[in-house]
Structures are given as structure tokens and as C-alpha cells.
Amino acid sequence: MGNEIERIVKEIKDEAPPRSEEEIKRLSEEERNLLLKTGIDILGKNRCGLFFQHDHSVIKCESMVDGVEVMDIEEARKRYGLEEYWWKLIPPDKDIWTKRAAEHQEHGYFIRSFEGAKVTYPVQSCLYLSMDRLAQDVHNIVIAEEGSELHIITGCAAGPHVRSGLHVGISEFYVKKGAKLRFTMIHNWAEEMAVRPRTVVVVEEGGSFESNYICLLPARDLQMYPTAILSGKDAVATFNTVLLAKEGSYMDTGSRVVLKKEGCRAEIISRAVSVGGTIIARGHLVGEAPGVKAHLECKGLLLSPKGVIHAIPELEGRTSDLDMSHEAAVGKIAKEEIEYLMARGLTEQEATSLIVKGFLSIDIEGLPDELKREIDGLISTVEKEGL
Amino acid sequence: MNILQIEDLCVSIGDREVLKGIDLFIPRGEVHTLFGPNGSGKTTLLSAIMGFEGYRVTRGKIIFNGVDITELPTYERARLGLGISFQKPPAINGVKLKQLAQICAKEDGKRLEEFAEMLNLKEHLEREVNVGFSGGEVKRSELLQLLLQRPELVLLDEPESGVDLENIAIIGEAINILLGKKVASTEEKSIKRIKEERKKAALLITHTGHILDYVDADRGHVLLNGKIVCSGNPREILSTIKDHGYEECYRCFKDEFKGG
């Protein structure tokens, strides 16, 4: 895979023409549908804010309610400085991708919920790549101030004419005392794309962070290992990950939680289905304080003999009196389950499809219906191709 | 007319021949029970009737409602009107019982809640199929699915095993409704429909015979080493087995064999 990514990076361009807000109106139906499938409803109403970055231009940035602000990160840095948040959780020289982002960064979002604000609808943020072979390097900062509640749906998508490209996303999230941040990210990339998100979240006392990550479309080379640091007492983190890899996709993803204080809890759940691609499903729990509780669950379903699923769950205890556990299973669908459903009148295909849907179903609150339907539809089609 | 007609059926699992020439006829509207010690081939017979993988028919045929189903895939048999209550059904993660019940019900979904209520499964509808279900809950969930599926011939593999006495009564009631022997209290059906449903038949495996206190069986068969060695009044067969064990069936069979 090393050669693949070198080839992709060699071919990419760092410059894109500027885009204006008018572009939103000019989006074709095909493009709008594509964004819908990524959880972004450009014309919809059920949201409390929108951020839209088209290639290298932020073309829309708005907040519909008082409790939350949505800004271009450049604008936010000018206004607030943000020195205490900027490159504070991720060192710029961490790897070649963070270095790249530090040098090339073009925008990204700043989203903040104010102290005590409870935001009902999600803020939608979209990072859209419409040019083939373009590199997009963004840097995002999210702050959930004390006692606030915020839900962000981030859709990252490549346009219909994009085959190849590079997306690097630096994300630093701050969940303050007693705040709740739910972050749902859907990736719909193109077949030849390389994707390198770099995410670190810090959760203070009594705060909670929930991450939902869904990637069902192919990406040539995806690698990420988002980390939540539970720095205060009773902080909670949950990571739900749903992955589907077609032939030619390589996904190396994991979630890590560091539990630093008493009473911290964490849960990492991942569901991976391969219909020919390779998935490395990692998970890492680090328990540093007595009395913490955490569980890691990695389940993989192989629907093609060409596929590879490699589950790597890690538990790291750094003190006594910890309650950390993991559960990992990789295999194909049990014949008994298919026959059970066939005995109720389903064909083998229908039975398999229902089992796969069930396998991938994790209840994500606040997910738009279009997206739920899309996920179901996608599973069915990939299913047919895969068998 | 026979709803099920099995002729000289031989079935192998891998290289091992488990059923060695079964002849079994079930007329419409009748309930037949299958007795036999562990390993005699009872579950194998039901699995072969459903057409599950790994149960290879090497000789003979299975005729259902006049159609030779010996080579048909399981789902086509189900669509023709065969249903089965599994002895130990698998858990299906992420699929709610309600979803599966709806699949079984097809157009008849309005009765779902009613049957779930009767079987004390209302809260289970939102749970994943068989995940963490108790023995009794598993059996009741099987019957819920079958009540909605409305098969013409139902295969019941130990419907009372792992079920406490109180719940055996509920299961017995569900089987009787399934077979049209009892009309559910809130139901409004034409006499024609009720008569039609009385033509429904069952093949029932039971070890303890407890279910026969609730379900009237017309005929019993004893399976020994892959052969039906005795057929007759199910209650008489059951009491003989209870008093003398299957040893008596072996002795009886040997006598018959000598005599014939």
C-alpha cells in the first residue's frame, strides 16, 4: 500500500480555483443526492447550522440558533486567536500528514456551543471535493463549552467526477466540564482516494463524547486512529464504527481512549464487513486510574474469500483495580442463520442481506432518515455484487 | 388426501446414513408425533423435510401437497406452506423480532401485536431475535413467527423443551390456533376459513409428551436407528415408552421382524 499512496500523492494538485456561495445553487441533482447520502441536506431544515467547504473555499457558513457558532476556522482564528486550541492536541510534526496539513492547510471549520446551550438539531458540516486529483487539507476545531450539548454531522464526499485525490483532516475537539458532544462522520470517497484524518478529543470532568463513523464506499487507502483523552473525573467516550470494504479498498482504522481519571468510562464498538477489501480494525484502551471501566468490541464479517479483516484489540492497564475487557470475532455468516431465515420464506440472498444489515445496524440517534435509507440500500447493493 | 407423503426416504449426513428408508404419510388435518431415543434421526427427518444443507437425500422422495419437493430449496418449501419450529434456533444479531415477524406475516401484519400479546412477547418485539432469550422465550418466539407465517404443515421440534409448565399451556394454545383447532378469542373468521384451517397438519417431536396434554395427536410413530418401527395411538406409545423405555420398542421391533 505504501506505493499506492506515493503514487496518489505524486499525482495530486495543491491548487484549486476559488468557489463562491453561488456554487451551492449550481450543484446538480446528482451532487445534491450525493451529499444527502453523506448526511448533508443542503436544502433541508432540520439543522441548526451549516458549514460547507467546496474544494479549497468555504462557501457557506451559518448558524441558525443562538447557542452555537459556526465559522471558517481562518475567521475564528482572526477573531479569537485560538492559541490555546490550535495544534494543542496534535503536534504538527506528528507524521508526514500533520506536517503536510501544517504547511498546506486550506480552511476547515470552527464550531462552538456556548456554555449551557442545548442544541436540538445537528450542525451539518460538509467537506466536498469536486476536482479530480486535488488535495484538501483542513484543520477543524470544535468546542463544547461547559454544560452544553452539541451534535455535528460531518459529511466528507468526493464529487461524481472524482476518481483520485487526497484528504487530510486535522481535528481538535474540546469537550468541557459536563458537556456532551456527539460527532457523526460519514465518508463517501472515491475509489482512488487517500484519506488521512487525524483526530484528538479531550473530555473534561463529567463530559461525554460520542463518535459515530460510517464508511461504506470504497477508498483506496484510508488510515485513521482517532483518540479521546478522558482528562476529568467521570468523563465518558463512545466510538461506534461501521465499515464496508469493496475489493481494492484498504481501511486501517481504529479508536483509542485514554482513561486518566477515576470514574471514566469508555466503549469502542466496530463492525466491519469485507466484500473483497482489506480492513484493519484496531482498538486501544488505556486505563490510567483505578476504578475506570471500558469495553472494546470488534466484529468482522467476511463475505468474500478475497477479503481480509484483521482485528487488533489492545488493552493497556497502567494501574490496578481496572475493569477493561474486549471481544473480537471475525468470520463468515453462519449457515444456520441463513437457513433459519430461509425456513421463513426468504431466499438465500434476502436472508444474507438481512443478516448483514443486522450486523451493521448500530443505533445512531439523530441520523437523518435519508442517510438511514441510504445505508440500507448500499448494504443491499454491495451485498449483491459481493456474492 | 395426504398433505405429506414420504416414500422410502434415505438421508445421509456426510458419509453417515441416518435415515434408512422412511415411509410416512400424514393426511390433512392430522397431528402426528415422532418418538425415539436421542440420535434416532428425528431432527434429521424434520431437517430433510425442510431441505436444509448437509442432509443429503440418497433415495426416496418427499411429496408435499402433491408436489415433489425433494430437490427444492428451503425457501420454496416454506413458500409452498411448510413451516418449522426449531429446537435450538440461532440468534440473529441486530435484527429485531418485530422485523422477522413482519417478514413472516407478509400482508397479515395486523395480527402481529395480538399474537405477541398472547405469547407474552410484546416487549421482545423490540429485542434482537433470540439474543439473550430464555428457553421458553425462544419457543414462544418460534410460535409467533409460525402463527404469522400460517404454514399448512408445521414441523415442531420439541416445542416444550426448556419451557416451564405455565408456558407449556400457552405454547399448546398457540399450536392449536396455528392448526385451526382453536379459534383465537378476538378473531372474526368465516366458517369456511375455519374449516380450511382445520386441514392443517403437524409433525411433532416430543420427548416428555407434556405437550400432548394440550395438543391432540392423531397418530404416533417411533423412530429407531433411522427407521420407523412402530405407528399407532400416540398416547399408548407414550405410556409404553414411559413404563418400559425404548428397550421395549427394540424388543417389539425384533419380534415383528422375526415374524415378518
Side-chain angles (χ1 to χ4, degrees), chain B residues 80-226:
Chain B
L80 285 173
L82 263 168
I84 183 167
S85 159
F86 285 70
Q87 191 190 149
K88 287 186 185 121
I92 313 280
N93 285 299
V95 177
K96 287 178 180 160
L97 179 58
K98 192 171 188 171
Q99 276 176 279
L100 184 53
Q102 279 163 343
I103 287 167
C104 293
K106 290 181 210 86
E107 77 282 0
D108 206 13
K110 61 180 186 297
R111 310 217 45 209
L112 201 156
E113 300 281 332
E114 188 189 318
F115 286 137
E117 173 116 45
M118 181 190 103
L119 290 161
N120 288 333
L121 285 173
K122 276 205 114 157
E123 275 138 43
H124 296 72
L125 289 176
E126 295 303 322
R127 285 176 55 183
E128 295 166 82
V129 179
N130 297 328
V131 176
F133 283 19
S134 71
E137 288 164 344
V138 163
K139 302 291 171 165
R140 282 183 275 136
S141 138
E142 289 296 287
L143 279 158
L144 172 67
Q145 294 169 47
L146 287 170
L147 280 168
L148 295 163
Q149 198 187 341
R150 293 178 180 275
E152 285 186 53
L153 171 67
V154 59
L155 311 173
L156 300 159
D157 196 349
E158 296 193 33
E160 81 273 48
S161 75
V163 181
D164 58 42
L165 273 174
E166 188 188 345
N167 280 306
I168 289 184
I170 296 177
I171 284 184
E173 191 185 349
I175 293 173
N176 285 327
I177 293 173
L178 183 59
L179 297 174
K181 286 177 185 290
K182 182 173 183 288
V183 179
S185 52
T186 57
E187 210 168 351
E188 282 183 45
K189 276 188 192 173
S190 67
I191 292 172
K192 188 180 163 200
R193 177 105 180 234
I194 293 172
K195 277 188 176 165
E196 215 172 72
E197 292 194 340
R198 287 213 175 121
K199 287 183 190 151
K200 290 186 172 181
L203 179 59
L204 167 74
I205 296 177
T206 176
H207 265 296
T208 60
H210 291 324
I211 195 71
L212 299 182
D213 294 340
Y214 304 92
V215 178
D216 282 329
D218 298 286
R219 205 167 161 75
H221 309 274
V222 178
L223 203 57
L224 284 183
N225 292 332

Side-chain angles (χ1 to χ4, degrees), chain A residues 19 21 28-29 56 79 97 113 120 123 127 140 174 221 253 255 275 290 292 324 342 345-346 356:
Chain A
R19 313 276 181 192
E21 194 180 335
S28 66
E29 201 181 327
H56 292 175
R79 195 181 300 176
W97 309 105
S113 52
T120 342
V123 173
L127 300 165
N140 312 308
Y174 298 85
D221 189 324
T253 77
S255 311
V275 285
V292 299
M324 299 202 298
M342 284 175 78
L346 294 186
V356 173

Side-chain angles (χ1 to χ4, degrees), chain A residues 299 335-348 350 354-355 357-359 361 363, chain B residues 50 52-53 74-75 78-79 84 86 89-95 100 103-104 130 142 145 149:
Chain A
K299 287 190 177 166
K335 195 185 72 192
E336 294 72 36
E337 293 181 30
I338 293 177
E339 284 189 333
Y340 183 53
L341 299 174
M342 284 175 78
R344 304 291 184 242
L346 294 186
T347 63
E348 186 169 358
E350 290 165 341
L354 183 65
I355 293 166
K357 269 182 214 165
F359 178 82
S361 79
D363 283 329
Chain B
M50 282 313 295
F52 292 151
E53 210 185 300
T74 298
Y75 74 92
R79 288 174 185 185
I84 183 167
F86 285 70
I92 313 280
N93 285 299
V95 177
L100 184 53
I103 287 167
C104 293
N130 297 328
E142 289 296 287
Q145 294 169 47
Q149 198 187 341

Side-chain angles (χ1 to χ4, degrees), chain A residues 252-279:
Chain A
D252 182 342
T253 77
S255 311
R256 178 183 290 122
V257 182
V258 185
L259 301 98
K260 285 183 162 312
K261 290 280 158 61
E262 238 178 280
C264 287
R265 284 176 292 129
E267 187 173 52
I268 297 173
I269 294 174
S270 80
R271 296 277 184 274
V273 172
S274 169
V275 285
T278 298
I279 296 174

